[in-house]
């Protein structure tokens, strides 16, 4: 994973679509067949949300990244970075559309992204083949199945009349409505609490609600949080395997996914995951966004410190905006991650070459 010199040929869109389908179709099958039965939800809601997520967030975000960033990475990494950027573009578009009192106008960013990338003849990014694709698929499947199942069951318990421990699910549902319906940042009721650090958190829910009319309560408690869990796993997996291969990627993601509060299902006294990762992957979607931003920043920072172009820093800037839109808790972690990237890069640059 390193920056490249000189422009690359345009990546055929059919390749990007095919590879995106490899990631999205298994998730759609899980959503479309398993969760409607488990949660007694509308299968149409699940299908409409997965279509919007794939074609309205992940694909345009990935195409924009490939077209304008001069990096060399395999397609699974491009999908991860594009997914994260897609959510940032989504929220920015919602904010702009709300300033003219036409929230659904935010959807115009999607055809604009397709049009701009279609007209661009020389793409900056280079898509390489995936090393050990079968191994990557198996390890990712294990992580996603475990995290998805645990996330859904925790939400079912949290929404029960007597949840096993304190949840802020209903707080997030109400704040998502506030974010969708208001944008006056001078209003202290908005800028003081719901708007200050929950900006990015509600983008996936509000965007999908405006696009496909799935109720916000369902999006917050099930769809949006689940998709962010998938994205966090993918980003952590990509970061780890870029250093030491698929097993290291599996370990990096498992270290975050494993401390889920599964033991709290037995007794609230056994709940320890929240103290480790600040409820990042259980029920606090605002903290989850912060961890997604942290994971998404790792590879762009690494590429930049390895000799990337200054003009590609826009990716880091947008992802940092994503982090600022979450809680302040990830702030120190972002600083530590950035310093770690610098330290590792300096050590590698000064390391004697092993070439004969």
């Amino acid at each position: 994973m390193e920056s490249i010199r000189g422009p690359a040929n345009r990546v055929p869109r059919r390749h990007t679509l095919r590879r995106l389908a490899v990631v999205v179709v298994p998730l759609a099958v899980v959503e479309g067949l398993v969760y409607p039965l488990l949660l007694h939800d509308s299968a149409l809601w699940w299908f409409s949300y997965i279509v919007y997520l794939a074609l309205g967030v992940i694909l345009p975000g990935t195409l924009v990244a490939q077209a304008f960033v001069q990096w060399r990475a395999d397609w699974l990494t491009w999908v991860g970075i594009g997914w994260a950027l897609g959510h940032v573009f989504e929220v920015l578009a919602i904010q702009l559309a709300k300033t003219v009192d036409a929230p659904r106008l935010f959807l115009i960013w999607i055809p604009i992204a397709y049009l701009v990338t279609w007209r661009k003849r020389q793409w900056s990014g280079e898509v390489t083949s995936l090393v050990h694709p079968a191994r990557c698929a198996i390890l990712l499947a294990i992580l996603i199945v475990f995290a998805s199942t645990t996330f859904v069951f925790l939400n079912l318990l949290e929404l029960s009349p007597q949840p096993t421990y304190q949840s802020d699910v209903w707080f997030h549902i109400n704040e998502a409505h506030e974010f969708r319906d208001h944008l006056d940042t001078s209003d202290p009721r908005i800028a003081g609490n719901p708007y200050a650090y929950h900006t990015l958190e509600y983008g996936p829910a509000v965007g999908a609600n405006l696009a496909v009319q799935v109720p916000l309560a369902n999006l917050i408690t099930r769809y949006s949080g689940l998709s962010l869990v998938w994205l966090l796993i993918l980003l952590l997996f990509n970061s780890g395997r870029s250093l030491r291969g698929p097993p290291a990627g599996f370990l990096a993601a498992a270290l975050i996914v494993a401390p889920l509060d599964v033991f709290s299902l037995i007794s609230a006294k056994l709940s320890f995951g929240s103290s480790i990762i600040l409820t990042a992957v259980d029920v606090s979607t605002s903290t989850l966004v912060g961890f997604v931003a942290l994971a998404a920043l790792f590879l762009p920072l690494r590429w930049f410190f390895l000799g990337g172009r200054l003009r590609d820093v826009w990716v880091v800037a947008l992802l940092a905006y994503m982090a600022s839109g979450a809680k302040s808790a990830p702030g120190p972690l972002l600083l530590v991650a950035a310093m770690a990237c610098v330290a590792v890069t300096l050590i590698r640059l000064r390391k004697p070459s092993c070439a004969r």
Side-chain angles (χ1 to χ4, degrees), residues 13 19 26 37 40 47 54 82 89 103 120 126 132 134 167 173 181 188-189 212 227 232-233 243 273:
R13 184 176 285 103
R19 289 157 178 168
L37 297 177
H40 305 292
F47 177 76
F89 291 137
K120 189 174 177 62
E126 180 180 338
H132 303 301
S167 169
I173 292 173
D181 299 334
R189 293 173 301 172
V212 298
S227 66
L232 178 62
I233 290 172
L243 298 176

Side-chain angles (χ1 to χ4, degrees), residues 5-350:
R5 312 296 182 185
N9 292 329
R10 177 174 174 170
V11 182
R13 184 176 285 103
R14 64 179 182 276
H15 291 175
T16 302
L17 285 169
R18 188 182 307 130
R19 289 157 178 168
L20 176 63
V22 171
V23 176
V24 172
V25 168
L27 303 180
V29 170
V30 173
E31 284 196 337
L33 298 181
V34 178
Y35 292 129
L37 297 177
L38 179 65
L39 303 174
H40 305 292
D41 261 347
S42 167
L44 179 61
W45 288 351
W46 285 106
F47 177 76
S48 60
Y49 176 71
I50 201 69
V51 169
Y52 167 74
L53 182 66
L55 302 181
V57 177
I58 305 176
L59 182 57
T62 302
L63 291 175
V64 169
Q66 289 177 348
F68 293 99
V69 177
Q70 192 170 344
W71 294 336
R72 184 176 185 268
D74 58 67
W75 62 268
L76 194 60
T77 300
W78 281 118
V79 169
I81 295 295
W83 191 338
L85 286 176
H87 279 315
V88 183
F89 291 137
E90 177 185 48
V91 173
L92 289 173
I94 291 173
Q95 290 176 309
L96 290 174
K98 285 167 64 64
T99 59
V100 294
D101 295 325
R104 285 188 176 82
L105 192 62
F106 91 95
L107 289 168
I108 198 172
W109 94 266
I110 300 172
I112 289 176
Y114 284 127
L115 179 63
V116 170
T117 55
W118 176 71
R119 291 183 61 86
K120 189 174 177 62
R121 299 305 175 187
Q122 290 290 323
W123 283 24
S124 297
E126 180 180 338
V127 181
T128 61
S129 59
L130 185 64
V131 179
H132 303 301
R135 191 181 306 174
C136 288
I138 293 172
L139 295 176
L140 265 178
I142 294 172
L143 290 167
I144 287 176
V145 167
F146 173 79
S148 301
T149 305
T150 308
F151 179 85
V152 170
F153 275 105
L154 283 171
N155 269 287
L156 288 177
L157 287 174
E158 290 297 321
L159 295 173
S160 65
Q162 294 181 333
T164 54
Y165 55 90
Q166 185 177 2
S167 169
D168 56 3
V169 169
W170 295 111
F171 167 81
H172 289 309
I173 292 173
N174 292 330
E175 299 310 300
H177 280 279
E178 188 79 7
F179 175 71
R180 182 195 61 186
D181 299 334
H182 304 282
L183 190 65
D184 183 8
T185 55
S186 63
D187 187 338
R189 293 173 301 172
I190 299 177
N193 188 17
Y195 192 83
Y197 57 75
H198 290 106
T199 307
L200 269 294
E201 165 191 0
Y202 302 128
V206 171
N209 173 257
L210 293 171
V212 298
Q213 295 298 289
V214 177
L216 265 178
N218 293 69
L219 288 165
I220 286 290
T221 57
R222 295 164 186 175
Y223 313 136
S224 296
L226 187 57
S227 66
L228 289 174
V229 170
W230 293 338
L231 175 56
L232 178 62
I233 290 172
L234 179 57
L235 292 170
L236 289 167
F237 182 79
N238 282 335
S239 297
R241 72 186 179 88
S242 72
L243 298 176
R244 292 292 181 182
F250 177 85
L251 180 61
L255 288 174
I256 295 295
V257 176
L260 284 162
D261 281 338
V262 290
F263 293 100
S264 67
L265 303 179
I266 304 173
S267 171
K269 295 180 180 179
L270 297 177
S271 174
F272 69 96
S274 296
S275 62
I276 298 176
I277 57 173
L278 301 174
T279 66
V281 195
D282 44 24
V283 294
S284 180
T285 52
S286 57
T287 308
L288 177 54
V289 169
F291 275 80
V292 166
L294 170 64
L297 273 170
F298 177 82
L299 286 179
L301 284 172
R302 184 167 177 264
W303 278 315
F304 177 71
F305 291 130
L306 284 173
R309 303 180 307 174
L310 185 61
R311 70 182 69 175
D312 293 338
V313 174
W314 66 267
V315 175
V316 177
L318 285 181
L319 293 175
Y321 170 72
M322 185 178 190
S324 69
K327 288 182 179 177
S328 58
L333 294 176
L334 290 169
L335 293 177
V336 171
M339 290 187 290
C341 288
V342 175
V344 171
T345 302
L346 292 177
I347 292 173
R348 291 198 169 192
L349 290 176
R350 291 180 177 274

